[in-house]
Amino acid sequence: MSRENPDDSPTMLLSRYFLPILKETPKEAEIVSHRLMLRAGMIRQQAAGIYSWLPLGYRVLKRIEQIVREEQNRAGALEVLMPTIQSADLWVESGRLNDYGPEMLRIQDRHDRSMLFGPTNEEMITDIFRGYVRSYRELPLNLYHIQWKFRDEIRPRFGVMRGREFLMKDAYSFDLDYEGARHAYNRMFVAYLRTFARMGLKAIPMRAESGPIGGDLSHEFVILAETGESAVYCDNSLLELEVPGADTDFRADLTPIVDEWTGSYAATDEMHDPGAFEALPEERRITARGIEVGHIFYFGTKYSEPMGAAVAGPDGTEHPVHMGSYGVGISRLAAAIIEASHDDNGIIWPEGVAPFSVGLINLKPGDAKTDEVAASLSQRLEAAGLSVLHDDLDARAGAKFASMDLIGLPWQLIVGPRGVASGEVEVKRRATGERETLSFDAAVNRLTAEAG
């Protein structure tokens, strides 16, 4: 688990934490992730498709955000922050004001100016670019931000999977020509492969429709899950490919990596070609359900031409810049990860996004020796860089185990008076249910090696 996350905090005592776990499944929850996020006290619905993120859920959100941020920075993108409210005048300039129809939340301010709650930021980032950049020497440029957006879905459902308000990372590249823009596209393509892999996900890039964003080159990044929103078709060879490593040189030509991933058949409903799919050997065909977690677009001069975003080229003449945009659904990812990683007992968080590394269960709070050992182990794990949720509640052991399985922390450390008397504790790996009885030192060493 990354230790660079500013949300990492010392051991948290469950008695002082706000974790409103629900015993019953809420009736409104239609899919696994929605049920488990509500039951685990991660979110609370405030209106249709609009949620508050409670402490446990917010920690997951921040971990996902941090991984996204680290990989965007690694790929050379620069972080900015744009407002949620935009002037409709920019969308009039681009000619796109009516493309979103009733999904766009339109607002009149007190001076009768037309505003909107941004569903995306192509217009605003183009306005920022044209205000400052004049020469090709200032290119390439890629700016990104992580911000809340709003789309007034007619039927918000599935919790944060298809909400009206959602957190997104969107990046925007600016280049002199198609060749430069394609390099930018490839950098984001590879960055996305790495981003999702760090979250414990196998995301498959699939040719996709561009929709209201525009352009003629687009890929969706889709994870396979039984409860996915759409059918997907792909060559299973894609599941065997290795994700580029941390030593990837983003200044190099990444075309060979991109070609390796897009050279095999992979398509969503909209782009599916039954003939091409059937041409694959039967054993290589996968038909499944998928969840979109990212989408990248190259759209050339769709926005730069009407909005006057041009630079002086090497020949001294003005060139409208070539652009691309690259989105990751951060709040949606929290639900998508659960859809891909859970069992009958609850969530199974991959280590990279887990809200805490270890759940320490004190089986007998109030017993002096058990309390002493539990506190000592918490301190040692914290000193090793691990975050710990320490269950010090006076409750039945069965209820403690059920709650810890529900919230899905990768590791559980079980401390009880019998074990303490013999100098031992129990370590459980949530993903497999495997349990080991270890000495105090061995347990700390094991968790430090596995979860650090």
Side-chain angles (χ1 to χ4, degrees):
M1 183 176 291
S2 170
R3 300 176 192 173
E4 299 175 27
N5 192 332
D7 190 46
D8 278 342
S9 58
T11 296
M12 180 62 66
L13 292 175
L14 193 51
S15 60
R16 298 180 188 174
Y17 201 53
F18 182 56
L19 185 62
I21 285 177
L22 304 179
K23 292 182 180 177
E24 303 298 325
T25 298
K27 293 179 181 178
E28 72 271 20
E30 299 177 65
I31 61 173
V32 170
S33 59
H34 193 192
R35 290 198 296 270
L36 291 177
M37 291 181 84
L38 289 171
R39 285 202 56 219
M42 292 179 62
I43 57 173
R44 178 178 173 82
Q45 182 171 317
Q46 303 300 150
I50 299 174
Y51 291 84
S52 290
W53 289 77
L54 306 183
L56 193 78
Y58 189 58
R59 285 180 72 97
V60 172
L61 200 65
K62 298 302 286 184
R63 291 205 178 282
I64 292 170
E65 180 181 320
Q66 186 64 17
I67 290 173
V68 170
R69 176 175 286 113
E70 288 170 6
E71 292 303 325
Q72 289 294 290
N73 294 346
R74 187 195 302 272
L78 303 171
E79 188 170 11
V80 299
L81 182 63
M82 292 176 275
T84 58
I85 304 299
Q86 305 183 23
S87 168
D89 291 346
L90 291 174
W91 290 66
V92 171
E93 278 192 72
S94 71
R96 202 168 62 133
L97 184 61
N98 296 315
D99 285 2
Y100 275 87
E103 284 191 4
M104 182 182 285
L105 182 61
R106 298 161 196 266
I107 306 163
Q108 296 293 125
D109 71 10
R110 69 174 62 199
H111 300 292
D112 244 7
R113 290 176 294 221
S114 294
M115 314 292 285
L116 56 95
F117 194 132
T120 185
N121 280 77
E122 283 79 10
E123 284 80 4
M124 185 171 286
I125 199 70
T126 304
D127 179 57
I128 291 172
F129 178 91
R130 71 183 176 182
Y132 299 102
V133 182
R134 298 285 180 266
S135 168
Y136 76 96
R137 293 185 177 88
E138 299 170 76
L139 303 179
L141 181 64
N142 191 318
L143 302 174
Y144 78 96
H145 79 155
I146 295 172
Q147 182 59 288
W148 292 94
K149 301 189 184 304
F150 190 93
R151 293 177 190 167
D152 201 0
E153 294 270 359
I154 190 170
R155 287 187 64 218
R157 55 197 303 225
F158 303 150
V160 300
M161 187 75 76
R162 192 179 295 173
R164 291 193 293 164
E165 185 182 53
F166 50 95
L167 185 63
M168 274 195 72
K169 184 284 303 183
D170 39 330
Y172 301 92
S173 61
F174 302 87
D175 290 273
L176 181 63
D177 52 27
Y178 172 79
E179 183 180 356
R182 188 57 197 262
H183 284 310
Y185 188 94
N186 290 351
R187 283 194 294 274
M188 287 293 106
F189 188 105
V190 173
Y192 275 36
L193 292 175
R194 286 191 40 75
T195 296
F196 300 125
R198 287 184 58 189
M199 297 177 193
L201 298 172
K202 184 72 170 184
I204 302 172
M206 301 190 174
R207 286 274 185 174
E209 293 279 3
S210 294
I213 301 293
D216 56 6
L217 177 59
S218 174
H219 282 89
E220 286 182 15
F221 287 76
V222 173
I223 62 170
L224 303 183
E226 290 179 7
T227 51
E229 59 207 329
S230 59
V232 296
Y233 308 84
C234 66
D235 184 333
N236 68 7
S237 66
L238 286 165
L239 302 179
E240 313 290 326
L241 292 179
E242 273 193 47
V243 171
D247 59 349
T248 301
D249 183 359
F250 282 93
R251 297 165 298 179
D253 180 7
L254 300 176
T255 303
I257 296 176
V258 174
D259 286 349
E260 183 182 26
W261 281 84
T262 59
S264 299
Y265 188 89
T268 58
D269 281 332
E270 299 86 358
M271 302 294 283
H272 180 47
D273 179 348
F277 185 63
E278 294 297 325
L280 291 172
E282 186 174 357
E283 67 274 10
R284 284 173 50 188
R285 293 181 220 146
I286 294 179
T287 301
R289 307 295 297 178
I291 300 170
E292 179 195 337
V293 290
H295 206 156
I296 62 176
F297 309 82
Y298 160 73
F299 42 69
T301 60
K302 174 181 171 66
Y303 301 93
S304 58
E305 284 204 61
M307 296 185 69
V311 296
D315 58 2
T317 63
E318 292 284 299
H319 297 259
V321 290
H322 287 243
M323 294 175 58
S325 71
Y326 316 91
V328 169
I330 290 176
S331 51
R332 162 180 273 244
L333 266 165
I337 291 167
I338 294 172
E339 292 291 334
S341 185
H342 68 272
D343 62 15
D344 291 343
N345 295 321
I347 301 165
I348 302 173
W349 288 117
E351 298 207 9
V353 296
F356 295 91
S357 310
V358 179
L360 189 153
I361 302 172
N362 183 338
L363 292 178
K364 196 171 183 181
D367 177 81
K369 189 61 177 174
T370 306
D371 288 349
E372 179 188 340
V373 170
S376 172
L377 290 170
S378 289
Q379 291 167 3
R380 292 177 66 183
L381 292 172
E382 179 191 330
L386 303 183
S387 54
V388 180
L389 180 62
H390 180 164
D391 181 353
D392 61 335
L393 298 177
D394 184 10
R396 291 181 299 105
K400 287 173 173 279
F401 294 144
S403 293
M404 202 59 78
D405 279 353
L406 173 64
I407 66 175
L409 307 183
W411 294 91
Q412 295 173 20
L413 180 60
I414 302 157
V415 184
R418 284 188 186 176
V420 165
S422 57
E424 295 176 330
V425 290
E426 194 172 22
V427 172
K428 175 183 171 182
R429 184 193 290 267
R430 174 66 180 89
T432 64
E434 173 192 2
R435 292 170 178 259
E436 286 184 89
T437 300
L438 301 169
S439 69
F440 302 157
D441 287 346
V444 170
N445 292 339
R446 175 71 187 277
L447 291 171
T448 301
E450 295 278 358

